[in-house]
Amino acid sequence: MPGETSRLRVDARQNRDRILTSARETFAAVGLDASMTEIARRAGVGVATLYRRFPTKGSLVTEVFADQLAACTDAVHVAAEDPDPWRGFCRVVEKLCEMQARDRGFSAAFLAAFPDAVPVDEQRARAEEAFAGLVARAKATGRLRPDFTADDLTLVLMANNGLVTDSVDAAVAASRRLVAYFLQAFQTRDPLPPPVRLGLRDALG
């Protein structure tokens, strides 16, 4: 019956919206360690319903953070095109850390590797390439210390991820202060110990 079919479509769309809302809130609060069972419970749907919509956690994460992943990638590319590479470098570090402070699940989603999350991997690869070019340009101006490496960005994200506060506003404020310290250090000329080889996924802790 047409009416019955329409109702089923509405129910399916509502279930999908509830799942995405539940997943977004759960990932933001506890990160990607949240179980699919917990997400289904919070959404008020059965686990089987969740898996019909999203067969894997990777597919759910990709859908939940699609807009933020795109925003993150865009932020890196905009910064890379800044005529002042040091300013662009500072802005992208500040932006990434603020996004991380606002949503604990976001950075995990951006850094994690899921077998079926091809768009995420592609976006991350493009962002890493753009950031590497920005770093080279910032070093060429003499503003960014010559021994900075991409591993140092991982250190920043790891430190930023360790901020535990009572509210999002407090987390963002603490993140801004922490990043300001790092950016000042990135301009100094005093030699550092050798860099530690770290992949971005090490920032997940």
Side-chain angles (χ1 to χ4, degrees):
M1 297 288 290
E4 181 69 10
T5 300
S6 178
R7 185 185 65 78
L8 290 174
R9 287 175 178 171
V10 170
D11 289 345
R13 185 168 58 251
Q14 290 175 341
N15 283 340
R16 183 177 184 279
D17 291 343
R18 282 198 296 269
I19 290 169
L20 290 174
T21 298
S22 171
R24 189 173 293 111
E25 293 173 351
T26 306
F27 289 147
V30 302
L32 299 190
D33 289 336
S35 70
M36 297 287 268
T37 300
E38 174 64 12
I39 291 169
R41 185 190 66 78
R42 292 190 181 199
V45 302
V47 175
T49 297
L50 189 156
Y51 277 106
R52 278 199 300 273
R53 300 286 175 264
F54 302 98
T56 66
K57 180 180 279 191
S59 62
L60 177 59
V61 168
T62 301
E63 183 71 17
V64 167
F65 293 105
D67 291 342
Q68 287 167 289
L69 290 169
C72 178
T73 304
D74 289 345
V76 175
H77 285 289
V78 168
E81 295 172 357
D82 194 314
D84 181 342
W86 171 250
R87 180 176 61 196
F89 174 85
C90 292
R91 286 181 174 175
V92 75
V93 174
E94 290 166 349
K95 179 66 173 179
L96 291 177
C97 287
E98 180 177 346
M99 294 178 75
Q100 184 182 45
R102 289 188 182 280
D103 189 333
R104 296 184 67 83
F106 164 70
S107 60
F110 185 70
L111 301 174
F114 296 105
D116 54 352
V118 175
V120 177
D121 291 338
E122 291 177 349
Q123 288 184 64
R124 183 170 53 236
R126 289 197 300 270
E128 289 176 348
E129 182 179 358
F131 183 73
L134 179 61
V135 166
R137 291 175 55 224
K139 286 182 179 180
T141 68
R143 297 292 304 280
L144 178 61
R145 60 182 308 133
D147 55 355
F148 177 90
T149 74
D151 302 311
D152 294 322
L153 176 61
T154 300
L155 286 177
V156 174
L157 293 173
M158 291 173 73
N160 195 63
N161 194 50
L163 296 174
V164 179
T165 61
D166 294 332
S167 68
V168 172
D169 289 343
V172 171
S175 174
R176 286 173 179 163
R177 186 170 177 84
L178 179 66
V179 171
Y181 277 125
F182 273 112
L183 291 178
Q184 289 185 26
F186 289 156
Q187 296 183 83
T188 65
R189 296 292 181 177
D190 296 332
L192 291 172
V196 178
R197 295 304 303 167
L198 297 169
L200 280 177
R201 296 185 189 100
D202 291 311
L204 293 176

